[in-house]
Amino acid sequence: MPHEERLSKAVWDVLAEQGLERLTIRAVAAAAGCTTGLVMHRFPNRRALLRHARQLLHETTKARVETLEATAASPRAALRAILHQGLALDPQTVAESTVWLGFLAAAVADEELTDLHRVNSRAWRTRVGRLVEACGPPQDPATVTVALIAMVEGAAAFAAADPSAYPPAVQEAMLDSALAAFGLSEDPGGRR
């Protein structure tokens, strides 16, 4: 595996498996099996590590939601599919939720990280909002969009921290209930 790939994987793994407090140059070097100097050549500080992890998360989820949206039978099916992928349902999405939480925790006290968070969150909100509008909810689309995102992101965060209280079936039921509450659970043709 090339150095860049190995370092990226190490940054991701340390943040996802050990948490924000243990995300250090030294921990990444140990996970990558290299020297701290090699890590510092690519990532000079913790902020750079966090920016990289957040960018990986953004790229991974963007590719996934673009595929889901492109292959969905309808806007409602696309909306459910992209919201569903945001839940913490399996090891990959639990790791993604943990990385997102770590980044968000660090961003609270760091204006540069906060700005990056806002840019990526705005892109997510725009995508979900476009699909909500295409579904024609009876309520205000902007409010529905924010409510659905908050439910999905909240469920994923809680599931990452306490998986036994928020197993996949519970998270999926929450999503389906939220969609139903906003009149977005079925296409006019009766499909999900």
Side-chain angles (χ1 to χ4, degrees):
M1 179 183 301
H3 287 306
E4 284 291 315
E5 240 179 271
R6 191 170 60 184
L7 289 175
S8 279
K9 182 175 178 354
V11 169
W12 180 270
D13 290 349
V14 169
L15 185 53
E17 296 168 11
Q18 299 178 37
L20 176 63
E21 291 304 313
R22 293 198 176 104
L23 182 64
T24 63
I25 300 289
R26 187 174 308 231
V28 170
C34 66
T35 65
T36 57
L38 182 61
V39 175
M40 290 183 73
H41 179 71
R42 173 68 173 89
F43 304 109
N45 54 40
R46 188 177 196 194
R47 177 188 283 157
L49 294 170
L50 285 163
R51 287 181 64 85
H52 183 69
R54 182 61 177 100
Q55 192 58 34
L56 286 173
L57 177 61
H58 176 71
E59 290 168 6
T60 299
T61 56
K62 181 180 178 188
R64 189 168 57 227
V65 299
E66 284 179 352
T67 298
L68 289 169
E69 186 174 351
T71 59
S74 68
R76 288 173 190 245
L79 179 63
R80 185 184 187 284
I82 70 164
L83 290 171
H84 184 267
Q85 69 78 44
L87 297 170
L89 302 172
D90 55 39
Q92 178 182 338
T93 53
V94 168
E96 290 170 359
S97 185
T98 302
V99 166
W100 182 81
L101 286 169
F103 179 86
L104 190 58
V108 169
D110 186 311
E111 192 171 322
E112 183 183 327
L113 295 178
T114 298
D115 288 344
L116 179 59
H117 170 71
R118 287 180 179 149
V119 166
N120 290 328
S121 288
R122 206 168 287 125
W124 174 236
R125 216 170 36 252
T126 298
R127 180 181 300 275
V128 173
R130 181 174 40 76
L131 288 170
V132 166
E133 285 188 23
C135 294
Q139 300 89 345
D140 171 47
T143 301
V144 171
T145 298
V146 172
L148 289 171
I149 289 171
M151 190 286 307
V152 167
E153 291 181 357
F158 285 125
D162 189 1
S164 64
Y166 296 88
V170 169
Q171 293 177 70
E172 290 169 333
M174 291 169 65
L175 173 58
D176 290 334
S177 293
L179 290 169
F182 290 120
L184 301 173
S185 60
E186 291 187 6
D187 284 332
R191 295 177 307 239
R192 273 192 97 95

